[in-house]
Every structure is written in structure tokens, then in C-alpha cells.
Amino acid sequence: MKLLEKNNRIFIRFMALLLLLGSILFYVSVNWIARSEIDEKLEVNQKRTINLIDEGQLPPQFAPIVEVKISPKKSATTEGFSDVQIFDPEEGEEEPFRQLVAEVEIKGAIYRITNRSPLLESEDLILAIGNCTAALVLLLFVWMYSRSSQKLWEPFHQQLQAIKGFSVSQNEPLTLASSEITEFEELKTALHELTEKGRSDFQNLKEFTENASHEMQTPLAIIQTKLEDTLQSSDLTEEQARHLAVANDAVLRLTRLNRSLLLLSKISNHQFIGEELVSISRLLKTQVNQLADFIKEKKLTLRMDLPEDVLVKAHPTLVETLLFNLLVNAVRHNVEGGTIDVTLTNQSLNISNTGHSLDLPSDQLFERFKKGAASQESLGLGLAIVKKICEVNKWEIEHSYQNGVHRFAVSFQ
């Protein structure tokens, strides 16, 4: 950047000197052209005046532009072109004039003929040229500033675009454009080190989460199997059976929790790769059939409005999980004898269910481990998984509660 600033200063000084010399040359050129044209016009006017006098007509008198005087003899006053200052009564001040003086003898009389033409004042000419030069300098400065700023910040914008498209889950390192500016090169190095550390930490965390979850599955399954086998023993006391049942429920809950956290981790890490057109209509019917016994047990009334072949582009497993969690939520948190309404369109999915009011705000409903006090059997992760699936697919989900009815709306737009 220092090198670029130095080059800019040199260029500005060079352009300032060039503009100064150009302004002087422009002034001299304009002044010479103007005087040449005026001199030519004065010579033509002089010839016309001489012709009028020679034809016997009255000599024109239009002071201070044309003055004709008869002299008894030629005077010693210099003839030819000259610049004079003459008081102009119309203007009320002295004005600069270019004049041509000639003494000619016509029919025995000597006529002193003076033709004048007003000149543009030097101050006015200099002011006009100065204003034009100032405007040119301003335009040049704006252009230079825009050009230098664009060139100066181009590596920054390239790096910014690269960062916007970067993800810690990608396999390739962050690619940044090189620059001759020292500060941007230092920024490039820092960003590369930072992103590489982020990618490394992400991979380590991903491997740890996967390994920990998988390693936990085996001992949890063993514990559950041993507890179930022990519960089958006939020599258990009632108190021992009760303790073992509580322990078995805790193991089952821990297994579900482990699977849910692993699923959340995989979704967050974008491990579900490969989108395809998925029929939500078909998946909803399948999920409802799987939950039919729970719906019947709770004496719920299910109403569905499902058009055929409503398709979305997403990973099938994620869509299936989203629908299952929303339907389970509608069943689990419903009241006995309540209702469930499922409405599907090409733009959205709405699932409504009767239920008690929440004891926490709706915006906290999708956070991990947030649940109502009456939902002790829930892990508090189902809606968090739903929210994460919507974020991955760039969908929107909203919750509302009105007149004893909970409504979840998923927008596919």
C-alpha cells in the first residue's frame, strides 16, 4: 500500500505540473487566436471605411469603434495595431480595445482612420481558463480517486468474496488472491491461518462427536440388555425391580439423547450430502400410518389436506426426520380427544394441534433442551432438529398459539 501511495503522489504531482503548463499554453493560444481574428476583422473594416470615403459618402463615426478625422498633414503618431484603454460611457469604465490606425490621402485630403474592436479582459480570460482548469482538475481527481480506490481495494473485495463462500466443512483450503499491497498480503496470511485452524478444529470436533457417539452406543446397548435380562429374573424384590426399571428408562433416554445429538451434529456439519426431489405428500402419509396407534390411543381426530405429489428438493432423510418430529410433537403435546390438522401446498406445510399454552416464549421453542414443564418425557431436541433442518434447506418455520391451538408453519420458498 505504501508503494501504491507513493506512485499516486508522483502521478498527482506530474499531472499538476502538466495542467499548469497546459493552462499557460492554453491561455497563450486563445489570446493569439483571438487577436489574430480581431486584427483580420479590423483590416476588413478599414478597407470598407476607405471605400466609403473614396465613393464620396460621409465617413462613419461610431466612437469608440470607428473614428475618422481629417488632418492637414500626416501626424507623427504611430500607425498600425495597438492595444489601448478607452473609457466607454455605456459601460461607465475603461475597457480594453484592439485598434488599427491608418492615415490615407483621398482626393487631396488626409484622413486618419481608427478602427477598434473590444478585447476580452485578461483577467476575465485568465478567470475563465482557471475555472475550466479547476473543473478539469476536480474531474481528474475524482477519476483518479475512483480508479486508485478501486485498484487499492480490489484485493480486499476478492478476499471478502472468498470468505463469504468459505465453509469450515469444505475439503479445500481457502483460496485468496495475491496483492502487491503489504497490508493485504498480511491479511491474506492471517485469514489463511485462521481458516485453516477453523477447518482443523472443525474436523477434530466432527471426528470426536462421531467417535464419542458411536462408542457410547455399544456400552449403552449392553447396559440396556443386561437390565432387561435382570428384570426378567423371578427372584427380584419389588423395590429392586422398581430401581432396575428406573435405570432402564434412564438408559433408554440416554440412548435417544445420544442419537438426537449425533443427528444434530451431522446436520450442522452438512454431512447429509445429495439433494433430490422428495414427495412430501407420500412421506406424510407414511409417517401418519406409523403413528396411527398413538393417534388412536389418545383418541385424536386427524384431518389432512394433501395434494398429490408436492415435491421439494432436499435430502430424503432430513425431510423424513422433519415430518416425523413435527407429527410426533403434535401427538405428544396434544390433549386427549383433541385434533390434528395437516395442510400441504406447494409453498408451505401447516401442522396444527390442540394443546395447552406454553410456559416459555415461542422464539425459545426451537432451542435445544427447551421444553414445557409438562413435557418431562421429551428430550427438548425434536424442534431444535426441525429448526436446523429448515436452516440447512433455507426454509422458514414459525410457531403460533391461538385459541388453544398450536400451529407450526414451514415455508418452502
Side-chain angles (χ1 to χ4, degrees):
M1 186 178 292
K2 295 177 180 178
L3 178 60
L4 182 60
E5 291 177 351
K6 181 179 179 181
N7 292 336
N8 284 340
R9 286 196 297 269
I10 295 174
F11 182 73
I12 290 173
R13 291 172 184 173
F14 172 75
M15 291 303 299
L17 179 61
L18 185 63
L19 285 171
L20 178 61
L21 295 176
S23 300
I24 296 173
L25 180 61
F26 184 61
Y27 171 78
V28 173
S29 300
V30 170
N31 194 43
W32 179 81
I33 293 172
R35 287 177 179 274
S36 298
E37 290 294 324
I38 291 173
D39 290 349
E40 183 179 344
K41 189 68 175 177
L42 289 175
E43 289 177 345
V44 172
N45 289 340
Q46 187 187 69
K47 290 179 181 180
R48 288 175 179 171
T49 303
I50 293 173
N51 290 336
L52 288 174
I53 296 174
D54 190 47
E55 292 173 359
Q57 299 183 29
L58 292 175
Q61 296 288 343
F62 183 47
I65 303 302
V66 180
E67 293 181 357
V68 179
K69 296 180 181 179
I70 301 176
S71 302
K73 61 179 181 178
K74 285 191 175 185
S75 64
T77 306
T78 305
E79 297 181 84
F81 294 99
S82 62
D83 295 338
V84 295
Q85 293 283 338
I86 298 177
F87 182 80
D88 189 345
E90 296 296 332
E91 296 287 340
E93 62 180 356
E94 289 191 345
E95 295 289 339
F97 285 86
R98 179 73 169 170
Q99 70 176 19
L100 174 60
V101 179
E103 291 185 346
V104 295
E105 184 176 350
I106 303 174
K107 297 179 181 181
I110 298 174
Y111 291 87
R112 182 177 177 83
I113 303 171
T114 304
N115 283 281
R116 298 189 182 96
S117 179
L119 284 173
L120 181 65
E121 294 185 13
S122 299
E123 293 82 359
D124 295 337
L125 183 58
I126 293 174
L127 181 62
I129 295 175
N131 290 336
C132 292
T133 304
L136 183 61
V137 169
L138 180 61
L139 291 175
L140 184 61
F141 175 77
V142 172
W143 174 78
M144 284 178 52
Y145 179 78
S146 175
R147 180 175 174 272
S148 61
S149 296
Q150 184 179 6
K151 185 176 181 181
L152 177 67
W153 290 101
E154 183 178 358
F156 173 78
H157 290 297
Q158 291 176 347
Q159 293 175 355
L160 184 61
Q161 286 299 115
I163 294 172
K164 287 182 178 179
F166 174 76
S167 172
V168 292
S169 61
Q170 67 187 38
N171 295 325
E172 299 297 327
L174 179 65
T175 303
L176 298 173
S178 299
S179 172
E180 297 179 356
I181 302 173
T182 306
E183 288 81 352
F184 286 150
E185 279 297 300
E186 293 177 356
L187 177 62
K188 173 186 174 182
T189 303
L191 287 174
H192 186 269
E193 293 176 354
L194 179 64
T195 53
E196 282 302 292
K197 185 177 186 304
R199 286 201 322 126
S200 175
D201 292 345
F202 171 79
Q203 292 297 329
N204 292 334
L205 179 61
K206 176 183 173 183
E207 292 176 3
F208 169 78
T209 304
E210 293 176 352
N211 294 337
S213 298
H214 285 298
E215 291 299 324
M216 287 176 62
Q217 291 293 336
T218 301
L220 285 174
I222 294 174
I223 294 173
Q224 184 179 353
T225 302
K226 295 300 182 183
L227 287 173
E228 290 176 351
D229 291 343
T230 306
L231 282 171
Q232 302 301 321
S233 301
S234 57
D235 56 348
L236 289 176
T237 65
E238 181 178 349
E239 184 177 359
Q240 289 174 334
R242 186 174 64 253
H243 289 330
L244 289 174
V246 171
N248 188 54
D249 290 341
V251 171
L252 288 174
R253 184 180 179 84
L254 184 58
T255 302
R256 288 167 48 210
L257 178 63
N258 182 59
R259 290 174 180 172
S260 297
L261 288 175
L262 179 60
L263 177 60
L264 262 176
S265 175
K266 288 183 176 181
I267 297 173
S268 300
N269 297 340
H270 301 279
Q271 291 181 246
F272 290 91
I273 302 173
E275 296 181 345
E276 59 184 72
L277 289 177
V278 181
S279 174
I280 296 186
S281 307
R282 181 179 56 81
L283 285 178
L284 275 171
K285 292 176 182 178
T286 302
Q287 297 292 346
V288 167
N289 290 333
Q290 292 178 0
L291 295 172
D293 292 339
F294 298 99
I295 295 174
K296 184 177 179 180
E297 180 183 349
K298 214 164 184 177
K299 301 177 182 179
L300 302 177
T301 301
L302 177 64
R303 297 188 291 261
M304 295 195 299
D305 182 9
L306 304 180
E308 292 295 330
D309 293 330
V310 174
L311 304 176
V312 294
K313 192 172 184 180
H315 194 283
T317 302
L318 294 184
V319 178
E320 185 177 356
T321 303
L322 179 141
L323 298 178
F324 180 78
N325 284 359
L326 286 176
L327 289 172
V328 168
N329 183 79
V331 174
R332 177 179 294 163
H333 301 288
N334 215 318
V335 295
E336 187 171 350
T339 61
I340 299 176
D341 291 296
V342 180
T343 304
L344 178 64
T345 67
N346 289 322
Q347 291 77 34
S348 64
L349 168 67
N350 291 274
I351 298 180
S352 303
N353 65 276
T354 51
H356 301 291
S357 61
L358 296 174
D359 52 3
L360 73 162
S362 291
D363 57 350
Q364 297 182 12
L365 196 61
F366 299 99
E367 296 180 10
R368 298 184 183 187
F369 304 111
K370 292 289 184 179
K371 58 183 179 177
S375 306
Q376 296 301 321
E377 74 276 9
S378 173
L379 296 176
L381 290 174
L383 292 179
I385 293 174
V386 169
K387 179 70 172 178
K388 183 59 67 174
I389 294 174
C390 289
E391 290 177 356
V392 168
N393 290 283
K394 295 181 173 58
W395 298 339
E396 291 186 2
I397 183 168
E398 294 180 349
H399 168 265
S400 61
Y401 179 78
Q402 189 175 9
N403 299 326
V405 176
H406 294 273
R407 175 177 173 270
F408 289 88
V410 180
S411 174
F412 305 127
Q413 298 299 315

